[in-house]
């Protein structure tokens, strides 16, 4: 087994999803009901929660584990 | 690349290296701890140590939530997951953390229903799709992930979901920093503060580090220039005889943090009397547990959790690495018996673990940039 990768999906080396340290900056495309929003990640659209921030379409937000924790001031 | 090019500019990095070198007092050694695993990752990935004079050492801190989980807690989670009524959900890198009987991946291969999710919200989806099974989310992380877990619990409550619960392993950064400051062997000159923890809790809660221990903290972003600038700001404080909390990452971190996030955490979780950290042992009030008012979503109340305590493998020196006493490559099994593919210790599992970061990026010969090499020379 030594030298072989463990089976199943693994995190890529640039992105740890358990810690906010490498949280992702994304752009809000549209706000959705229930505190959710569709965002542009640069590699496609994803739906995340924006319930904890005051974000509008066009804003860049910092998302960690599917939850926006800050609006980035550009 | 979007959003990051301006923070990876080589000319600016060289200029900062020169400014840092100019602040080095001849004969003085400087030792700064980057608390956060994300910073460790950036430092190795971008070779930032090559931009620092020999007199400036970076010590890697305990801020990788995967790395600080003790083996016993993994075994507890495994015991929960082995209930045939349970679907355990977990973040990806937690899947590879070894317990005494193997990792989540090993258990999954043996038939246990453990599923990887990218967000606790995905766990809710699984709960909706499996109303006859109990979905337990393995919640880990510092104050950065706690809001996500808290919001998910509130959403589950609002939806009336009855089959979603949380195995809460959220930890808090301050008690760990205090434990490190109280270690006599450390001798730190200051901290590169955890930027995304501060996004949630703010900068003010770090004031005790300067007030009670006389160490400066610069809350830092995660791009190479963020970290170099933070080291410069720390050196500037030392050279001017100041000791303060500064916010280098003001484009993201408000001084007071995110009050809404803090409110939802407080609504759903409360401090845990004590929690075991790998390498640091039991630290009082260093973790969160689910509040009584959310007892119906607390896996520790809903299921019988054995509360296993397991000693780390003898060969593993993660504890010393987490405390910054040992550099990753000084561990006996680093890169031989312990690799990212077959980790023995947690520091080799997560990309943010100091060992994995060094294994992936730090093993080649490097040369200091001229600006850093000139430090201390007249």
């Amino acid at each position: 087994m030594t030298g072989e990768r463990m089976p199943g999906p693994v995190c890529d080396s640039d992105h740890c999803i358990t810690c906010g340290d490498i949280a992702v900056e994304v752009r809000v495309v549209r706000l959705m009901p229930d505190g959710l929003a569709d965002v542009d990640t640069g590699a496609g659209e994803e739906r995340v929660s924006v319930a904890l921030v005051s974000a509008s379409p066009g804003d860049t937000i910092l998302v960690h584990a599917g939850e926006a924790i800050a609006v980035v001031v550009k | 690349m979007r959003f990051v090019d301006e923070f990876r500019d080589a000319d600016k990095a060289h200029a900062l290296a020169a400014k840092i070198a100019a602040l080095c007092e001849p004969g003085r050694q400087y030792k700064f701890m980057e608390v956060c695993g994300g910073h460790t990752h950036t430092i190795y990935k971008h070779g930032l140590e090559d931009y620092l004079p020999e007199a400036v050492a970076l010590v890697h801190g305990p801020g990788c939530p995967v790395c600080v989980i003790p083996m016993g807690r993994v075994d507890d989670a495994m015991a929960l997951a082995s209930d045939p009524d349970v679907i355990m959900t977990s973040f990806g890198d937690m899947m590879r953390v070894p317990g005494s009987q193997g990792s989540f991946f090993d258990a999954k291969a043996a038939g246990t229903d453990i599923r990887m999710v990218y967000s606790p919200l995905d766990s809710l989806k699984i709960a909706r799709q499996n109303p006859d099974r109990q979905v337990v989310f393995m919640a880990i992380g510092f104050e950065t992930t706690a809001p996500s877990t808290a919001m998910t619990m509130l959403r589950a409550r609002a939806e009336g979901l009855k089959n979603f619960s949380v195995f809460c392993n959220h930890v808090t950064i301050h008690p760990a920093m205090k434990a490190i400051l109280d270690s006599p062997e450390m001798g730190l000159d200051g901290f590169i503060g955890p930027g995304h923890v501060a996004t949630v809790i703010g900068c003010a809660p770090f004031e005790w580090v300067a007030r009670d221990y006389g160490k400066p903290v610069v809350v830092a972003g995660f791009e190479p220039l963020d970290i170099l600038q933070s080291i410069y700001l720390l050196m500037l404080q030392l050279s001017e005889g100041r000791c303060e909390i500064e916010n280098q990452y003001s484009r993201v971190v408000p001084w007071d943090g995110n009050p809404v996030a803090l409110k939802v955490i407080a609504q759903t979780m409360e401090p845990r009397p004590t929690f075991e950290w790998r390498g640091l042992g039991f630290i009082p009030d260093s973790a969160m547990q689910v509040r009584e008012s959310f007892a119906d979503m607390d896996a520790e109340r809903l299921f019988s959790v054995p509360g296993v305590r397991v000693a780390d493998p003898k060969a593993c020196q993660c504890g010393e690495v987490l405390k910054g006493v040992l550099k990753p490559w000084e561990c006996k099994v680093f890169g031989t018996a312990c690799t990212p593919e077959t980790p023995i210790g947690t520091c080799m599992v997560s990309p943010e673990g100091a060992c994995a970061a060094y294994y992936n990026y730090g093993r080649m010969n490097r040369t200091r940039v001229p600006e850093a090499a000139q430090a201390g020379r007249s």
Side-chain angles (χ1 to χ4, degrees):
Chain A
M1 201 50 210
T2 307
E4 290 176 19
R5 191 160 280 283
M6 296 290 283
V10 294
C11 293
D12 68 69
S13 62
D14 269 0
H15 185 195
C16 179
I17 56 175
T18 50
C19 189
D21 315 333
I22 312 182
V24 190
E25 289 186 10
V26 299
R27 193 174 55 81
V28 178
V29 177
R30 68 188 75 83
L31 297 175
M32 305 299 289
D34 300 325
L36 301 173
D38 289 337
V39 297
D40 175 9
T41 65
E45 279 195 12
E46 278 180 34
R47 185 159 295 180
V48 301
S49 166
V50 288
L52 303 179
V53 294
S54 197
S56 310
D59 284 351
T60 299
I61 53 174
L62 187 75
V63 174
H64 179 63
E67 190 73 54
I69 54 173
V71 177
V72 180
V73 181
K74 287 287 178 186
Chain B
M1 200 190 298
R2 287 157 49 103
F3 310 127
V4 298
D5 283 347
E6 59 268 50
F7 300 105
R8 296 183 181 183
D9 183 281
D11 292 339
K12 286 181 182 149
H14 282 273
L16 277 167
K19 286 168 82 173
I20 291 168
L23 286 174
C24 270
E25 291 170 27
R28 180 169 178 183
Q29 298 292 312
Y30 301 85
K31 201 169 168 189
F32 302 120
M33 173 174 276
E34 83 275 5
V35 176
C36 202
H39 287 144
T40 307
H41 182 89
T42 303
I43 288 162
Y44 282 132
K45 180 176 178 186
H46 296 277
L48 296 188
E49 286 179 319
D50 299 346
Y51 284 76
L52 301 177
E54 212 169 317
V56 179
L58 297 178
V59 181
H60 318 305
C64 163
V66 170
C67 306
V68 299
I69 294 286
M71 285 182 91
R73 211 59 192 167
V74 180
D75 284 6
D76 282 345
M78 214 78 91
L80 273 174
S82 65
D83 185 326
D85 286 336
V86 166
I87 300 172
M88 177 67 89
T89 59
S90 164
F91 290 135
D93 38 8
M94 195 64 223
M95 299 287 286
R96 299 195 298 134
V97 175
S100 67
Q101 308 297 318
S103 66
F104 277 179
F105 268 136
D106 296 326
K108 187 176 174 61
T112 308
D113 198 346
I114 302 178
R115 305 184 191 183
M116 188 179 124
V117 292
Y118 287 97
S119 144
L121 285 174
D122 295 339
S123 302
L124 279 193
K125 208 181 293 173
I126 293 170
R128 284 184 213 112
Q129 290 162 351
N130 297 274
D132 53 337
R133 310 267 306 275
Q134 282 292 325
V135 174
V136 180
F137 173 61
M138 172 84 182
I140 70 162
F142 285 90
E143 289 92 335
T144 44
T145 34
S148 180
T149 304
M151 267 314 295
T152 307
M153 290 167 72
L154 291 171
R155 286 178 194 280
R157 169 76 45 103
E159 271 186 48
L161 270 180
K162 299 288 181 206
N163 64 328
F164 172 78
S165 61
V166 167
F167 181 44
C168 189
N169 295 280
H170 284 297
V171 286
T172 51
I173 197 73
H174 288 293
M177 284 176 74
K178 187 169 184 316
I180 284 163
L181 280 164
D182 287 335
S183 301
E185 68 264 54
M186 290 312 300
L188 294 172
D189 291 293
F191 286 95
I192 299 169
H196 289 154
V197 166
T199 304
V200 175
I201 68 173
C203 298
F206 291 95
E207 278 166 358
W208 63 272
V209 181
R211 188 187 59 236
D212 301 343
Y213 288 85
K215 308 290 181 194
V217 178
V218 174
V219 171
F222 292 85
E223 290 299 326
L225 292 187
D226 288 325
I227 293 176
L228 288 176
Q229 190 185 27
S230 300
I231 294 167
Y232 166 68
L233 290 172
L234 284 167
M235 300 278 291
L236 195 61
Q237 285 204 36
L238 294 176
S239 73
E240 293 175 353
R242 289 183 292 120
C243 179
E244 298 165 6
I245 312 306
E246 283 187 281
N247 184 7
Q248 182 276 336
Y249 198 26
S250 58
R251 67 183 185 276
V252 171
V253 177
W255 188 260
D256 295 323
N258 182 333
V260 188
L262 289 171
K263 191 177 160 199
V264 298
I265 295 172
Q267 235 178 308
T268 54
M269 298 176 220
E270 61 188 0
R272 191 184 281 273
T274 186
F275 191 76
E276 186 185 3
W277 291 57
R278 180 178 271 236
L280 299 175
F282 282 91
I283 306 179
D285 298 324
S286 64
M288 309 294 284
Q289 64 188 13
V290 175
R291 271 194 189 282
E292 176 77 42
S293 51
F294 281 80
D296 58 331
M297 282 185 221
D298 183 2
E300 287 177 87
R301 287 182 170 100
L302 295 176
F303 301 91
S304 161
V305 178
V308 178
R309 284 207 66 198
V310 183
D312 285 338
K314 275 197 179 140
C316 174
Q317 295 181 290
C318 277
E320 284 85 351
V321 172
L322 283 170
K323 282 191 284 191
V325 177
L326 276 190
K327 290 283 190 183
W329 60 89
E330 291 169 337
C331 172
K332 302 193 275 285
V333 290
F334 174 82
T336 52
C338 185
T339 66
E341 284 76 25
T342 55
I344 291 176
T346 44
C347 296
M348 195 55 104
V349 176
S350 163
E352 298 195 4
C355 296
Y358 186 77
Y359 186 91
N360 287 327
Y361 298 115
R363 290 180 300 154
M364 60 286 284
N365 285 329
R366 285 194 158 132
T367 326
R368 284 202 156 74
V369 300
E371 291 85 349
Q374 291 300 320
R377 293 182 194 168
S378 52

